[in-house]
Amino acid sequence: MPKVAFQGEPGAFSEEAVLAYFGSDGAADAESHRLAVPTWRAVFEAVRDGSVDAGVVAIESSLAGSIRETYDLLSEFFDAGIRIVGEVSVPVRLALVALPGQSVEWIERVYSHAQALAQADEFLRTRDWQVMTTYNTAGAARMIAEKRERRAAAVASPRVAELYGLEILAADIQTGANNRTRFAVLGREASAGVSSPPQPGPRKTTLVFAVRNVPGSLNRCLGSFASRGVNLSRLESRPARTARWEYVFWVDVDADATEPSCAAALDELGTEAEMVRVLGSYPRTGAD
């Protein structure tokens, strides 16, 4: 099993994504195969520096949308050879956890990552709690456990309760029944043993491109795929960060970059766009 970096603390949804994609070799593998780091940037740096074989980063929430920092880092670390080699979708189940013996009526403060707080907003609005953000869901739970902070609770995966000796005060507090987070699996370009062995089934390619500032340029770029029947399952614009009011377009293509129709579309795109970067081709997960 490769060594994999994830953002947060043991029990974080990022770690659940690692387990869902790579599996587990038992209790001993937590220390030897999974490396918890404090930030998304630190995941990219660990993969770049070779201290891990792979990294897992959140890329999209079905409720909150794109994780924009991840897209910016994918672009920043492209020249370092960081590529997407896989993806995994993790269901988001949130619980309110606190020290043993606490009750919902006693809670005054609630901690969690901003994304989790937003995803549990309907539940949190039912009470007059002081809500505070932390860098990670599991980190919030760990902080309460280590400080033995009473009248405080964390919004996190129910899995953290057992990890940190906490109790679940309320389960399934997330908004909606089908809330999921999609994670990208990162590897170094041409690295071996990171992604799963080639599997039959649909493939996906993630890329970013910048259009020329002339009429019809975006239409011609997208037409490169449409004219060949290649589907774009996702298209989003983001500030280019190189000049004010200029944008790049992030695309998920439902094909492998080496498939003839997709390869031809990418060649034509290269003649029209100012910049094209293929971030990786990898097995496409299901819609569940």
Side-chain angles (χ1 to χ4, degrees), residues 63-189:
L63 185 66
S66 299
I67 312 298
R68 296 189 171 186
E69 181 182 357
T70 299
Y71 281 97
D72 289 339
L73 289 168
L74 282 167
S75 181
E76 180 181 339
F77 282 81
F78 179 83
D79 290 338
I82 305 299
R83 299 291 183 269
I84 302 175
V85 299
E87 67 174 0
V88 60
S89 177
V90 174
V92 177
R93 292 185 58 234
L94 295 172
L96 190 72
V97 299
L99 292 173
Q102 301 287 286
S103 71
V104 171
E105 288 71 24
W106 296 351
I107 297 303
E108 298 174 351
R109 301 171 301 282
V110 176
Y111 301 96
S112 194
H113 187 274
Q115 288 276 353
L117 293 173
Q119 293 170 5
D121 182 62
E122 289 185 13
F123 172 81
L124 295 175
R125 289 202 310 264
T126 64
R127 296 182 181 270
D128 187 23
W129 286 323
Q130 182 182 7
V131 177
M132 290 172 283
T133 60
T134 59
Y135 85 104
N136 181 254
T137 54
R142 182 174 183 173
M143 177 188 70
I144 289 173
E146 291 181 346
K147 292 184 176 181
R148 308 302 297 170
E149 185 173 352
R150 302 180 65 82
R151 298 190 179 276
V155 173
S157 166
R159 180 167 164 260
V160 306
E162 182 178 356
L163 288 174
Y164 298 116
L166 302 176
E167 289 183 351
I168 297 175
L169 304 186
D172 291 321
I173 64 174
Q174 70 278 357
T175 301
N178 297 312
N179 189 5
R180 303 184 74 90
T181 297
R182 183 165 66 96
F183 290 83
V185 181
L186 307 177
R188 294 182 298 280
E189 192 172 27

Side-chain angles (χ1 to χ4, degrees), residues 210 213 238-248 274:
N213 191 18
R238 294 276 293 122
R241 303 184 72 183
T242 55
R244 286 194 298 269
W245 318 123
E246 292 188 5
Y247 297 84
V248 295
E274 286 193 337

